[in-house]
Amino acid sequence: MKLRNIFKSLAALKSKWISLVVPMLILGALFFLMALNNVFTETYDIERFSISKEVIRSPITIENELETQRKTRETVQSVEDRYNVSQEINEEQIYYINEIFDAISKVEEMKPVDGEKPEEDYILSSQEKVQTLQQILSPEIVSSIDNGVLLRLVEATPEERVKGKKVFSNIVKEVLTNGVRLENLQSATNEVKEALTYSKLDTEVREALITLSDFAVVENSFYDVEKTLNARKEAANNVNPVMIRAGEIIVREGQTITNELYEELKLVGLLNKQGNIFPVIGLALLISLIIGIIAYEVNQLSKQNQIDKGKLASLLIISFIVVSMLKVVSLYTTQDNHLFFVVPVASGVLLLKILINERFAIVLAGVYSILGSILFNSQIPGSLNIEAGIYLFLSQLAAIIFLMNMKDRLAILKAGIGMSIVNILAVLVFLFLSFEKYTVSDLLMQTSLGFSSAILAVVFTIGLLPFFETGLGILSDSKLLTLASPNQPLLRKILTEAPGTYHHSIMVANLSETACDAIGANGLLARVGAYYHDLGKTERSHFFIENQLSIKNPHDTIKPKQSAEIIINHPYNGAETLKKHKFPKEIIDIAKEHHGTTLLKFFYYKEKENNKFVNEKSFRYPGPKPQSKEAAIVCICDSVEAAVRSLKEPTEEKIEEIVASIIDDRLMDGQLDDSPLTLKELKEINKTVCRSLKGIFHSRIQYPTKEAK
């Protein structure tokens, strides 16, 4: 027996994993196929010097190393050689010039030696002065300068010499400072001579200085190997790599494929017939990560019994619709337009929040945004449209946040209004951050796309929601609110055929919803389930005490076993009726499970008075026991409400005692074994139900009657 149970458990576990893994594989395949051509590199069969039949863009960003090397080589070659100007030579040449003029001035001031002829008779001739200069000037000057130059300078007036010295020194100093290399020595000398030619000096002085230029201007700039190498190295480092950017046009339609263009096409992998498999591998890894996240969330929902085949099917259908919309719009989107602003992607997360829950909708919002950033990359492998991804995520997040309480279809419309505001603000943010100038008409056009996205999302959500609720049998809050309407035919049936049961159901619904809200369960589901949990009593309503108004109790005239059969059948009769009317499975389960396998103690002990060997099983509900938190809470509140209503004077102490005893009885009888309720949650349910009952059965002022007056 134990071995059989183990095999059953293993089979159930295997079936569960298959039911989860298969949808995830389908979802992963859908995402992969939709995004494949956005990352896969298309290749071309092109020959050199042929004519391109289409525009070809680079699929990747890559450096053109050959072009970078060529550019670097040209830049290095354009760097001029570096030379060092010798300041020592400059100072030496200026010193020689000053020495010449100072020596001439000294010779002019010479006086006769003592014992010789009188001073007035001592006058040196110009030739004697030149000879004296040759004796006192440096050998470098004497050997390089012709006597005629010195003679002209000696014969010049002192004022002309002073003026000539100043002009000549400044010109020579300027030329030497700029540097004089061996190859431009003659040009530098000519530069000095030309400057002297156009000076306002005396003719004799000017001619002498022009001749002196050959001595004054010398080589003073010498090649510096280290500086030259450093300059070339710095120039090479400053050369920016020649990059081919992703999306950049390499060849235009009708353009000839030159050798240079052919090499660029080869470099970016557009001529490789085998294609580039790495982006495909990257996409597969990304999809695996995404599916892993979704699978984790689905598994968590499965552990909480919040997922079924219908919800898994809705996940696949919604994902297909959303990704298909993204794909279709991406085909018409270019770098010049931003059509992703108009995609009603938020309709997917709105449906997921309504049909499953908010957390799951947020996770899928991130998934759809990542896929959107891939699909809107203009089919440039390796790139993501971050702007599209951020916009899509903000739009979906706004939809989830603004859909607060799903009381009716108007809640979706209200969410659409909030979503449209967020969309418009997001569009404006991207426009203002782009540094481009936009006209008022451009702003209106772009923001209208965001507004249209919100409106379309609302329309699609309202239009598709009934399909998922009815076609896939998914129970959503909007469906529950529809079933909770007093005008629902089955509720009117309970009201007209079993008014006592109707009042009892309303009370149980109030208690159940409050208790569920206290522990985080689905209060709305518990309320609606409580409305219909006793629907089966309408078949023979007068056999139930709450409907016995001014009539004799029919159980007094029949056997206890017959009475038990009538009472026991009502959960299953109600479940059958709900099935015929195609009610959600969750509501049917609550109707079927709200008594579990409890014992009809009154009729059991009544039968036992006459038959000591009575079979207890005949007086127990066949079950099943409550499987969900909501069904377990309805089970407790059903018994609590009936018990408290039977009290003649319901005090707070009696209410607390009855509630605690019923919960303990259900717990000890094993009725809560199959439900996920914890002991901590049972304590909270006890406290919440007692508080609600005390508010209902509070003490009132007893008004005096006419007789008492």
Side-chain angles (χ1 to χ4, degrees):
M1 187 69 179
K2 291 183 178 179
L3 189 61
R4 184 182 300 174
N5 291 334
I6 293 174
F7 281 129
K8 286 184 178 179
S9 300
L10 291 175
L13 183 63
K14 182 179 180 181
S15 175
K16 172 188 172 183
W17 278 107
I18 290 176
S19 63
L20 293 180
V21 170
V22 172
M24 293 302 102
L25 292 176
I26 296 174
L27 196 61
L30 169 66
F31 292 163
F32 183 81
L33 294 175
M34 286 291 186
L36 181 59
N37 67 334
N38 290 85
V39 301
F40 188 74
T41 306
E42 183 181 0
T43 58
Y44 300 87
D45 186 11
I46 297 178
E47 297 181 356
R48 298 176 191 269
F49 308 114
S50 61
I51 304 298
S52 176
K53 298 179 181 179
E54 58 183 308
V55 175
I56 303 177
R57 298 177 181 270
S58 172
I60 59 174
T61 297
I62 191 172
E63 179 186 356
N64 190 338
E65 295 183 359
L66 292 177
E67 187 65 21
T68 301
Q69 292 174 3
R70 185 192 62 79
K71 186 177 179 181
T72 302
R73 186 170 58 254
E74 292 178 353
T75 302
V76 170
Q77 290 175 352
S78 66
V79 174
E80 296 181 353
D81 293 337
R82 295 295 187 263
Y83 289 83
N84 277 333
V85 177
S86 175
Q87 295 298 326
E88 294 179 356
I89 294 177
N90 292 354
E91 293 174 0
E92 185 179 62
Q93 293 304 109
I94 297 300
Y95 176 80
Y96 286 151
I97 294 173
N98 292 333
E99 182 182 352
I100 292 171
F101 284 97
D102 291 344
I104 293 173
S105 299
K106 190 69 175 175
V107 170
E108 290 290 341
E109 296 175 358
M110 280 187 176
K111 300 182 184 299
V113 183
D114 293 342
E116 296 183 359
K117 56 184 177 180
E119 182 178 350
E120 60 274 8
D121 296 332
Y122 186 78
I123 300 174
L124 295 176
S125 64
S126 298
Q127 291 295 335
E128 291 176 334
K129 291 179 182 179
V130 170
Q131 293 175 0
T132 303
L133 287 173
Q134 289 178 342
Q135 295 175 2
I136 64 176
L137 289 173
S138 299
E140 292 82 2
I141 300 175
V142 175
S143 62
S144 302
I145 298 179
D146 185 72
N147 290 341
V149 175
L150 296 176
L151 181 61
R152 291 178 182 178
L153 292 176
V154 167
E155 292 178 347
T157 64
E159 292 77 11
E160 286 295 331
R161 283 199 302 270
V162 171
K163 185 177 179 182
K165 174 186 176 182
K166 182 178 181 181
V167 172
F168 187 61
S169 297
N170 291 336
I171 295 173
V172 171
K173 185 183 294 184
E174 182 179 354
V175 172
L176 292 177
T177 302
N178 293 333
V180 179
R181 300 196 299 272
L182 183 62
E183 57 267 24
N184 69 340
L185 176 60
Q186 188 60 46
S187 62
T189 304
N190 293 335
E191 182 181 348
V192 174
K193 291 180 179 181
E194 185 177 357
L196 290 171
T197 301
Y198 292 101
S199 66
K200 296 180 180 181
L201 297 175
D202 181 69
T203 303
E204 292 297 326
V205 174
R206 184 169 62 246
E207 292 296 332
L209 294 178
I210 289 174
T211 305
L212 188 59
S213 300
D214 294 325
F215 165 75
V217 180
V218 296
E219 180 186 3
N220 69 339
S221 181
F222 304 97
Y223 178 70
D224 192 321
V225 177
E226 185 177 355
K227 280 187 177 180
T228 302
L229 292 177
N230 290 337
R232 290 174 178 174
K233 184 178 180 180
E234 182 179 357
N237 292 335
N238 290 333
V239 174
N240 294 323
V242 179
M243 304 297 294
I244 301 176
R245 302 290 177 183
E248 178 182 335
I249 296 178
I250 299 178
V251 180
R252 298 186 181 276
E253 184 179 359
Q255 188 175 1
T256 303
I257 307 298
T258 62
N259 281 328
E260 182 181 353
L261 293 177
Y262 187 86
E263 292 300 325
E264 289 186 4
L265 293 173
K266 184 178 180 181
L267 179 64
V268 298
L270 292 176
L271 301 181
N272 185 2
K273 295 182 179 180
Q274 295 179 352
N276 192 348
I277 197 64
F278 292 107
V280 179
I281 296 175
L283 176 63
L285 293 176
L286 177 61
I287 298 300
S288 299
L289 290 174
I290 290 174
I291 295 302
I293 295 172
I294 298 175
Y296 172 79
E297 292 297 326
V298 171
N299 186 49
Q300 292 298 110
L301 292 173
S302 178
K303 290 179 180 179
Q304 301 169 10
N305 293 322
Q306 295 183 11
I307 199 76
D308 53 29
K309 294 180 180 179
K311 290 182 179 179
L312 284 174
S314 68
L315 169 62
L316 294 176
I317 296 172
I318 291 171
S319 297
F320 176 78
I321 293 173
V322 171
V323 178
S324 298
M325 287 192 298
L326 292 172
K327 186 65 178 178
V328 170
V329 176
S330 70
L331 298 177
Y332 299 95
T333 303
T334 64
Q335 295 179 346
D336 298 328
N337 62 43
H338 297 80
L339 290 182
F340 56 82
F341 286 150
V342 80
V343 182
V345 66
S347 58
V349 294
L350 285 173
L351 290 169
L352 289 171
K353 180 176 180 179
I354 295 170
L355 300 174
I356 302 179
N357 63 28
E358 183 176 290
R359 175 188 170 93
F360 194 72
I362 293 174
V363 172
L364 267 295
V367 169
Y368 297 150
S369 300
I370 294 173
L371 291 173
S373 66
I374 297 174
L375 296 176
F376 286 100
N377 68 349
S378 300
Q379 296 186 356
I380 301 174
S383 67
L384 298 175
N385 191 333
I386 302 300
E387 182 178 346
I390 294 175
Y391 170 79
L392 295 175
F393 184 72
L394 290 176
S395 179
Q396 294 176 97
L397 198 60
I400 295 171
I401 292 173
F402 284 108
L403 186 64
M404 301 297 292
N405 296 317
M406 186 61 190
K407 294 183 178 180
D408 50 31
R409 295 290 195 273
L410 289 177
I412 302 176
L413 184 59
K414 294 176 182 177
I417 296 173
M419 182 173 36
S420 63
I421 296 174
V422 173
N423 286 359
I424 292 173
L425 292 176
V427 171
L428 292 176
V429 166
F430 291 124
L431 292 179
F432 294 150
L433 287 177
S434 65
F435 289 101
E436 296 182 12
K437 293 183 179 180
Y438 288 94
T439 63
V440 176
S441 60
D442 292 332
L443 293 176
L444 291 176
M445 176 63 70
Q446 299 294 334
T447 53
S448 65
L449 294 179
F451 179 78
S452 301
S453 171
I455 299 303
L456 289 174
V458 170
V459 172
F460 286 167
T461 302
I462 295 176
L464 293 173
L465 187 57
F467 165 76
F468 290 103
E469 291 176 338
T470 305
L472 298 178
I474 299 176
L475 185 60
S476 64
D477 287 352
S478 63
K479 180 69 173 179
L480 288 172
L481 290 168
T482 303
L483 297 177
S485 172
N487 295 322
Q488 217 287 331
L490 291 184
L491 275 183
R492 295 187 65 83
K493 176 182 175 67
I494 299 173
L495 177 62
T496 56
E497 298 181 12
T501 298
Y502 180 82
H503 180 265
H504 161 72
S505 298
I506 297 297
M507 298 294 290
V508 173
N510 292 333
L511 294 175
S512 300
E513 182 178 32
T514 305
C516 284
D517 291 340
I519 65 169
N522 192 337
L524 183 58
L525 172 59
R527 168 176 284 278
V528 178
Y531 284 162
Y532 296 94
H533 79 288
D534 277 341
L535 176 64
K537 292 182 178 180
T538 57
E539 293 193 10
R540 306 178 77 173
S541 60
H542 59 285
F543 278 89
F544 298 90
I545 191 168
E546 66 267 23
N547 299 314
Q548 295 171 3
L549 302 175
S550 302
I551 64 171
K552 188 177 181 180
N553 191 342
H555 291 289
D556 295 339
T557 60
I558 61 176
K559 294 180 180 180
K561 192 172 183 179
Q562 291 177 313
S563 297
E565 289 177 357
I566 294 172
I567 301 299
I568 287 174
N569 284 334
H570 85 270
Y572 313 106
N573 293 335
E576 287 298 322
T577 304
L578 292 172
K579 282 183 181 179
K580 290 179 182 179
H581 286 78
K582 296 182 180 180
F583 265 59
K585 180 178 179 297
E586 293 83 352
I587 304 299
I588 298 172
D589 289 342
I590 290 176
K592 190 188 298 183
E593 298 168 3
H594 77 275
H595 279 295
T597 60
T598 54
L599 178 66
L600 284 173
K601 294 181 180 180
F602 179 83
F603 296 108
Y604 171 71
Y605 289 114
K606 187 176 181 181
E607 177 68 18
K608 200 170 185 179
E609 292 176 358
N610 301 321
N611 181 10
K612 293 182 180 181
F613 303 101
V614 63
N615 185 3
E616 183 180 302
K617 188 176 181 180
S618 301
F619 290 85
R620 279 190 177 273
Y621 289 91
K625 296 176 182 179
Q627 304 293 310
S628 64
K629 290 183 179 182
E630 292 79 13
I633 289 174
V634 172
C635 173
I636 293 171
C637 293
D638 181 42
S639 300
V640 166
E641 195 280 332
V644 173
R645 184 160 43 86
S646 66
L647 293 175
K648 293 183 179 180
E649 295 180 1
T651 62
E652 293 186 4
E653 292 75 12
K654 290 181 179 180
I655 290 174
E656 291 177 358
E657 182 180 349
I658 286 178
V659 173
S661 64
I662 289 175
I663 292 177
D664 290 341
D665 179 69
R666 294 288 182 269
L667 194 59
M668 297 304 295
D669 194 28
Q671 300 303 314
L672 306 179
D673 290 352
D674 294 343
S675 72
L677 287 176
T678 64
L679 293 176
K680 183 178 180 181
E681 289 173 336
L682 285 173
K683 289 181 180 179
E684 186 63 30
I685 291 169
N686 187 348
K687 187 192 304 181
T688 304
V689 171
C690 287
R691 190 187 309 119
S692 300
L693 288 171
K694 291 173 186 177
I696 296 172
F697 295 100
H698 63 274
S699 59
R700 292 178 174 84
I701 299 174
Q702 185 174 358
Y703 292 95
T705 62
K706 194 171 184 180
E707 289 78 7
K709 287 183 180 181

